[in-house]
Amino acid sequence: MTERDPAPRRFPLIAACGDSALVIELSDQIDEETNRRVVALADSLAAEAITGIVETVPTYRSLLVVYDPALVRGQQLAPLLLERLADISAESGAQRRIVVPVVYGGPVGMDLDELAELKQMSSDALISLHSAAEYRVYMIGFAPGFAYLGGLPEVLHTPRLAVPRQRIEASAIGIGGKQASINSVPGPSGWRFIGRTPLKLFDPARAEPFLLRAGDRVRFRPVKADEAAALDAAATQGTLAAEWESP
């Protein structure tokens, strides 16, 4: 290491985020093992609360811990977080697995055929690749309930559009770079979209407004038009239930 080289960062690293939150960083790399530890720490703090913590927000490689400064100070909380982190296992906690029905192509999946041509494969082959993988919800963010998914097959990695579209509908299934996604609300996006799901990722009328959470596993299941119509009708009536698999 030369005199100009910065000292290597040592993890875990805790930093203040304003006067009522801490960020505990577990790595400077994005990988499943790191994300497992992030989610395990969040689950541990939910199961056995530390006085003063208001909420936690898991991200790819760090955990935001919001606290009430009237009950605990950041300097007091930091060593407690490190102690808790040392006691947890990345394998702790039961993983949830959900099967997401997908109507590939159509008006919402407007990029399917073009993306298949770009990858020099048929649309059916692209659908098979996309639906054969198992994905991990690395984090929820950007919009309420928006799911960032890891596990996209490498051959499907595709740069985002140079010019984002101004509106993409909720429940659209996307590809952006190395990631997959499921839209939660309508909005602009530069991702490539290949289908949609009748499921609602965000519904403020539900007891749990967000359908997914960090650490969940996702598998996509292609559905035909007739089944999609039945699922859409159930979603409109509020009777469409998510299909969870046993871990």
Side-chain angles (χ1 to χ4, degrees):
M1 185 169 67
T2 68
E3 292 182 358
R4 294 186 179 181
D5 289 334
R9 301 178 73 192
R10 300 182 63 182
F11 297 96
L13 178 66
I14 295 184
C17 187
D19 60 359
S20 59
L22 296 175
V23 174
I24 178 165
E25 296 186 58
L26 303 191
S27 175
D28 57 2
Q29 303 295 316
I30 295 175
D31 56 63
E32 183 167 335
E33 176 66 18
T34 296
N35 189 250
R36 280 178 175 271
R37 294 179 67 211
V38 169
V39 173
L41 178 58
D43 289 346
S44 174
L45 293 172
E48 295 182 57
I50 295 176
T51 300
I53 291 180
V54 177
E55 66 172 328
T56 62
V57 182
T59 72
Y60 285 101
R61 59 182 184 83
S62 64
L63 183 70
L64 177 70
V65 181
V66 181
Y67 62 89
D68 182 346
L71 299 177
V72 66
R73 307 300 295 177
Q75 288 184 333
Q76 298 171 303
L77 185 56
L80 298 178
L81 292 175
L82 292 175
E83 181 179 328
R84 182 65 64 87
L85 180 64
D87 289 340
I88 65 170
S89 164
E91 303 300 324
S92 62
Q95 289 188 327
R96 306 191 308 171
R97 285 179 169 81
I98 188 172
V99 178
V100 175
V102 179
V103 184
Y104 285 94
V108 178
M110 74 288 286
D111 295 313
L112 175 64
D113 293 337
E114 182 179 349
L115 190 57
E117 184 177 351
L118 178 66
K119 301 299 181 181
Q120 298 182 327
M121 65 178 68
S122 68
S123 298
D124 286 344
L126 192 151
I127 291 169
S128 294
L129 274 172
H130 184 264
S131 59
E134 183 178 77
Y135 300 82
R136 177 180 177 83
V137 180
Y138 271 79
M139 63 176 285
I140 302 295
F142 171 68
F146 183 96
Y148 287 94
L149 308 179
L152 183 70
E154 186 173 359
V155 68
L156 299 183
H157 294 182
T158 308
R160 292 169 175 79
L161 297 171
V163 179
R165 298 184 177 99
Q166 292 305 300
R167 181 184 173 94
I168 297 295
E169 296 303 321
S171 300
I173 306 298
I175 289 175
K178 300 178 180 181
Q179 302 173 100
S181 69
I182 309 175
N183 271 23
S184 56
V185 296
S189 178
W191 294 52
R192 319 281 182 129
F193 290 92
I194 60 174
R196 68 171 183 89
T197 177
L199 294 176
K200 292 183 179 180
L201 264 68
F202 174 63
D203 183 353
R206 283 196 302 245
E208 293 189 21
F210 294 178
L211 178 63
L212 300 177
R213 59 187 182 219
D216 285 347
R217 294 285 183 173
V218 174
R219 184 168 60 83
F220 294 115
R221 179 174 66 86
V223 298
K224 300 298 184 181
D226 53 349
E227 183 179 356
L231 294 174
D232 287 337
T236 300
Q237 296 166 6
T239 59
L240 179 59
E243 185 180 341
W244 295 97
E245 292 183 329
S246 299

